[in-house]
Every structure is written in C-alpha cells, then in structure tokens.
Amino acid sequence: MGANANNSSINHELSIDAARLMDRIMSLAEISPIAGGGNCRLALTDDDRDGRDLVVSWMRDLNMEVSVDAVGNIIAVWNVGSGPPVMTGSHIDTVRTGGKFDGNYGVIAGLEVVQTCQQNGVTPDHPLAVGIFTDEEGARFAPDMLGSLVYVGGMTTEEALDITAIDGPRLGDELVRIGYAGSAPCPGVIPHAFVELHIEQGPLLEANDVRIGAVTGVQGISWQEVTIVGQSNHAGTTPMSLRHDPTYVAAEIAVFLRKLSARYGSHQVCTVGKVDVFPNLINVVAARVTMTLDIRNTDEYLLQRAEMEVAAFLNEIATSEGVTITTKKLARFEPVEFDERVVAVIEQISNDLGNTTQRMPSGAGHDAQMLARVCPTAMIFVPSINGISHNPAEDTETDDLVAGANILLHAMLNLCSTDFAKV
Ligand code: HGY
Ligand code: MN
Ligand code: MN
C-alpha cells in the first residue's frame, strides 16, 4: 500500500462517525456566535482562547500529547507507530464575519480521524498529528497563515511576536494574555506528510456538481496597506479644483484594481476590504485614508506585473491629486504547487469511495501552503453552498462534510504506509 492507492487498499468498513463530527463542529460554533449563523473569533482574542480551550479538551480526551509552541500553534500527537507524524490540521481563528466551517472543519475532522482509528483498533505506522495554527486569517495580525509560516521556519519567532494587531496589541503580549505563549520551539517537527481538509470557499465544485476537490496548489497572495494623506478642508467652501481629497483617491484606486482584474481575467482577483477615513465626517474633506489591497493570481509573473502596475498608478495619482501615498507590505506569498504524490492519493481515494472528484487550485490561502515548504502536502476541498465564505451564511451539506472527513481518514492512513523515497 502506498501513494499509488488502489481500491483494495481501502478498508471500506472503516468510516468516521458523522454525528460526532457534526456535534463537535456545532459545539465549536457555539463559541462567539454572530447573527446569521457564523462566528467571530479573531486571532488571540478571548473568543479565540475559548475555542482553543474547547478543542484542546477534545484532544486530551483522545489521550493525544498536546504541545503549544512559541507562537501559540497547538500540535496534538497520537503517539502510535514510529517516525515523524502524518499531520493534518487547519485553524480555528475566524474573520470578524466568519462562518462555522472555515478552518474549524479541518481541525475537527482531524480529531475524528484519530478517534475513528482508536475505536476500530487501527494503529498506523506513523503517529497522527492534528494542528491548530495561530492566526491563519491574518485579519487581526498580518500576514495570514502566520502561525504555520513560523512553524515551517518562514518567519522567526521574534519577528512574529512583535507584530501588532489592527487594534493595537502586540502578538506576543496577546499570547501571554490568553495563556497560549507556549514553550515548544519553532520551527516545529517536520511531518512525514501533511493533508488539510477545508471547505472550498468558492463556487467551482458546486457549479461543476462535483463533491470533492483534490487541490493542486494555492495562488499567490500580495497584501499591502496604502496610506493616502491629503488636505483636510471644509466640504462647503473648498472649490473642487483646490481639493487634495484622499477619499476620492482611494475610490480611484479601487476602480483601478477592478479594471486591472478585468484586463487580466482568468484567476486575477483584487480586493479593497478595509478603508479607514479620518476624520470620517460628513462635512469634512478627509485628511487621511488608510486602505488595504489584496491582490492574487495563480501565476507569479502576472502577480508581479499587477503589483508593478498598481505601484505606477499610485505614483501617478499622488502627483495628479497632490496627495502623498505610502505603502506597507503586509503579506507576500508566491503561488504554491502541492506534491503530486499526495494529490494523487487524495484523488484516488476520493474516487474509490465513490465521490465525484476534480483537481483544482485554491483561491484562498491555507496553512497547507506553508507546510508544503517542508513535507509532501496537499488539500481536500468540499463544496461551499452558493460559493459563500468569510460570511456567516457559509454552509456545506453534511453529506459532503462527512465524505471529506472519510477521505482525510483513508488518505492519512495511506500516507502512513507511503515511503516517499520510493514513490
Ligand atoms: O485570506 C485568505 O485567503 C485566508 O482566508 N487567510
Ligand atoms: Mn481557512
Ligand atoms: Mn478564512
């Protein structure tokens, strides 16, 4: 049995407990619920702490060895077999208007895999690990995937601990405040392999009427904060020709991004998600606007070209409108290709379990894109109803959630018996 899984290699009698999976998802969803059925658990807030405490209690119930590292990543290991663990995991921090499945589903399905093995007397050749990575969303502390980036050595612990939140606090101080400033070192243990199960968060699987995505990689991500300083003035007395209006400039930047996306087409996406106007008053031409630009593409060359076009536009409009524009890079990750051997295992197992399956890239960032730097990695997607995510209405059919968790179960077991030196 190995990376070239075949039908005989799957024990079809072995399957996860659907009710238990859904119970845990719904129990976690009760922590910091918001109107519309979602959650708000921004990274390292009290709400995040409460979610962490609950999931750690489940990990301990499964007699897993739980460690917390210097940036608050929680790694639980079921110590069976030998050698480095086959790991799964994701995140349980959410955006401010998050759903109940983004990240949470992958962590809880990982626990379900361990409990199913324990209860069926299945002892894999490698330990099984489930990770909760800190601040995957990056919404409070940029960049996103911060915890997994430090876990794989892509950022030093010191640098991470000094990052400040959009609401002010220092990351290291928040870890201490919520009791998750751990002692386990970063970078962390390099897994034998890593598989992340996640909702697609987009419309593709539903549009194609396909149940499972065998994810081939993650698109490149470019985040920057743009600060535009103009001249505050009276809304009634200042002639239009004399204005240096940062809010107008911000609007032009948003329009430029929309038109750039249309020109590039294909996977190019651009988002202005955050705009802070000062003083933000009806009768005042603003003094300053701070906004964020989220630019993504599966093609690194096109992503760099888009970044250069945006930089040139910022210079041009600063001159024409007589404002000053400064930028601050918040995140920059190149596109990632997952390991074909792991993608093939996922695709084969999904088909063998009777699911419709397609290969696809991920539009969203994920912790798996960081683990891919250090070990054979890939992801499993299940459909998002109406393609909605980062929205309390985020939803996925229970049958699809269960199907994804069963693929995770068999993929992790398959990878436990895969010698990557030979495939
Ligand atoms: O921004 C993202 O793609 C992810 O949700 N952090
Ligand atoms: Mn996520
Ligand atoms: Mn997310």
Side-chain angles (χ1 to χ4, degrees), residues 91 95 102 136-137 198 201 364-365 389-390:
H91 61 96
V95 294
D102 178 0
E136 186 279 342
E137 292 295 358
H198 206 287
Q201 301 183 284
S389 183
H390 282 189

Side-chain angles (χ1 to χ4, degrees), residues 318-349:
T319 307
S320 62
E321 291 300 322
V323 298
T324 54
I325 295 180
T326 54
T327 61
K328 178 184 169 194
K329 186 169 81 170
L330 296 178
R332 181 61 167 90
F333 300 123
E334 294 193 5
V336 166
E337 286 294 315
F338 287 142
D339 189 307
E340 168 55 27
R341 297 168 297 181
V342 184
V343 177
V345 164
I346 290 166
E347 188 176 42
Q348 173 91 61
I349 286 172

Side-chain angles (χ1 to χ4, degrees), residues 87-106:
M87 186 187 275
T88 186
S90 194
H91 61 96
I92 63 170
D93 66 296
T94 73
V95 294
R96 187 172 286 131
T97 51
K100 54 169 79 75
F101 302 103
D102 178 0
N104 308 314
Y105 166 50

Side-chain angles (χ1 to χ4, degrees), residues 197-263:
L197 173 62
H198 206 287
I199 53 171
E200 176 201 340
Q201 301 183 284
L204 206 59
L205 289 174
E206 185 180 64
N208 294 345
D209 196 21
V210 170
R211 167 172 273 175
I212 298 296
V215 185
T216 53
V218 179
Q219 67 180 341
I221 298 178
S222 165
W223 281 6
Q224 57 183 311
E225 180 183 79
V226 176
T227 302
I228 310 156
V229 176
Q231 184 177 61
S232 197
N233 223 321
H234 194 295
T237 59
T238 312
M240 298 311 285
S241 61
L242 297 181
R243 294 188 180 206
H244 306 287
D245 181 349
T247 312
Y248 166 72
V249 170
E252 284 285 8
I253 293 170
V255 168
F256 179 82
L257 288 181
R258 172 59 70 91
K259 287 182 175 171
L260 179 146
S261 304
R263 279 190 286 114

